[in-house]
Amino acid sequence: MDFDAREFALPECHSVMRSKFETAQGGIPNPVFKNVDGWNHTQSLGEFTRLSATFARQEVPHDRRLLGRIFYRNWNQHRNATYFRRLYELRRALRILEQARPRELIEQIAQAFYSPETAKGARKISNWAALPCQHSMTAFAGRIAHIARLVSKIQAICCNVYIHFTAQVAQTLFMPLSLVVQGLSSRMYLLLGIWHQDLSALYAMLLRWLPRLPACPDSLSDNKLTSEMAAKLPQMDSLTLPQPLDGGVSRAASIATQMRKDAECEIAHDDDDVLPVETKENKNKSNKKRARQRILDIYGDGL
């Protein structure tokens, strides 16, 4: 797993108060903060708040807990199977994502824009009181980039889980487990795609914003240390990792399309309160028909 949180460990954030660098009408600008002037920090903070709202939603943590329940329930029976090892890999990757704590990380940075007395519910974008220093925001940008790379890796794992359990459906083996894992991995693939899109946009915005933030006022953290950390920041095109799929990459487009369709069906079924009553015989027929259609959509007519 290509994720090293310690390389960009967040240092203590030293905020610079707004009154120190904003020049009053007719006043003399402070030469120490000349890079801060001329940038719309309110607009950048608004974009930061909008993009970070995605990680406060509970869909991904909820699906991770559901996956953990499914894993423990079926561990004794399926633990030596190849398809279940893929599920174990997905569970491990989601645990690493949880340990990265993106929600708490963003909340820690958001607090640096306001005074400690300002409650979370009373925060307004136009009433920000301070700016975090370049040193802490550079480390924050590095953590965001690594989390984006981790999310891209988890998407590839979701595809492999979907492929292996599709093979189980084709053999009509363990149908309840296979269909549930197919729907769960498809939904997670779609949700993590939204995460990756917002993480990439947030990282690009931070790269534009960093040169306009004030230098760290702490004498222990000089500009050289910040420059060395900024030189380690990855490029934008490296946030999306290659996705090696089991069996080759020729079916990557069709698998991703089918996973999006299944995820949309799962999300649509979440709003249904009443399910149709089916007999056991009709239910088995519909499951087999659905499995056959999925195999044809992914593998084509060559089966």
Side-chain angles (χ1 to χ4, degrees):
M1 195 65 63
D2 189 9
F3 177 75
D4 187 5
R6 292 172 295 181
E7 184 177 356
F8 291 99
L10 282 185
E12 184 180 358
C13 183
H14 297 273
S15 299
V16 178
M17 299 305 296
R18 190 173 185 175
S19 58
K20 289 186 177 181
F21 53 82
E22 280 197 347
T23 306
Q25 186 176 4
I28 301 175
N30 191 340
V32 178
F33 302 110
K34 60 181 180 180
N35 64 314
V36 182
D37 294 334
W39 186 265
N40 193 343
H41 297 284
T42 303
Q43 182 179 355
S44 297
L45 179 58
E47 187 177 358
F48 173 85
T49 305
R50 177 181 61 83
L51 293 173
S52 59
T54 303
F55 315 109
R57 300 174 64 89
Q58 294 297 318
E59 287 90 348
V60 173
H62 176 269
D63 289 351
R64 184 193 61 80
R65 291 191 294 268
L66 179 59
L67 180 67
R69 298 291 296 272
I70 294 173
F71 180 85
Y72 283 118
R73 184 177 181 87
N74 297 275
W75 167 254
N76 289 333
Q77 183 178 3
H78 303 278
R79 59 183 176 181
N80 293 325
T82 303
Y83 58 87
F84 206 75
R85 292 174 186 172
R86 290 301 186 188
L87 191 63
Y88 175 78
E89 184 181 1
L90 177 59
R91 172 177 170 269
R92 178 175 176 271
L94 290 173
R95 179 176 294 180
I96 296 176
L97 179 61
E98 181 192 17
Q99 292 174 353
R101 300 185 180 277
R103 183 179 179 181
E104 291 80 0
L105 182 68
I106 291 176
E107 175 62 24
Q108 180 181 352
I109 293 298
Q111 290 177 353
F113 290 94
Y114 301 93
S115 61
E117 295 79 13
T118 305
K120 183 177 179 180
R123 296 175 186 171
K124 293 184 179 180
I125 297 175
S126 59
N127 294 337
W128 57 275
L131 285 178
C133 62
Q134 285 185 1
H135 189 66
S136 60
M137 288 295 282
T138 303
F140 172 71
R143 291 289 297 274
I144 290 295
H146 276 278
I147 293 175
R149 291 166 62 89
L150 175 62
V151 169
S152 179
K153 177 65 176 178
I154 297 177
Q155 281 191 285
I157 298 175
C158 288
C159 289
N160 287 328
V161 169
Y162 186 88
I163 291 172
H164 279 273
F165 279 90
T166 298
Q168 298 302 309
V169 172
Q171 302 175 31
T172 64
L173 297 175
F174 312 112
M175 293 289 289
L177 173 63
S178 299
L179 291 176
V180 169
V181 173
Q182 274 188 325
L184 189 60
S185 60
S186 301
R187 173 185 167 93
M188 199 167 295
Y189 178 86
L190 184 65
L191 293 174
L192 291 177
I194 299 174
W195 272 47
H196 188 269
Q197 180 180 357
D198 289 348
L199 284 169
S200 300
L202 180 60
Y203 181 66
M205 186 271 294
L206 288 173
L207 291 182
R208 297 190 302 268
W209 198 7
L210 282 175
R212 296 292 188 165
L213 293 175
C216 184
D218 188 5
S219 58
L220 298 179
S221 300
D222 54 358
N223 294 330
K224 183 179 179 181
L225 184 61
T226 304
S227 301
E228 292 176 353
M229 187 183 299
K232 296 180 181 180
L233 294 178
Q235 300 295 325
M236 282 293 302
D237 54 358
S238 65
L239 298 187
T240 302
L241 300 179
Q243 298 186 359
L245 302 182
D246 293 342
V249 297
S250 59
R251 295 179 285 124
S254 60
I255 291 173
T257 302
Q258 185 62 32
M259 291 181 72
R260 290 190 182 95
K261 290 181 181 179
D262 290 347
E264 291 173 358
C265 292
E266 292 293 331
I267 294 174
H269 288 323
D270 288 345
D271 299 331
D272 296 338
D273 295 328
V274 181
L275 297 177
V277 179
E278 294 182 351
T279 63
K280 185 176 181 180
E281 181 179 0
N282 292 336
K283 186 176 181 180
N284 291 334
K285 289 181 180 179
S286 62
N287 286 341
K288 290 182 178 180
K289 184 178 180 181
R290 182 184 176 190
R292 176 64 180 172
Q293 186 61 41
R294 285 187 176 183
I295 298 301
L296 291 177
D297 291 339
I298 293 177
Y299 295 94
D301 299 330
L303 289 179

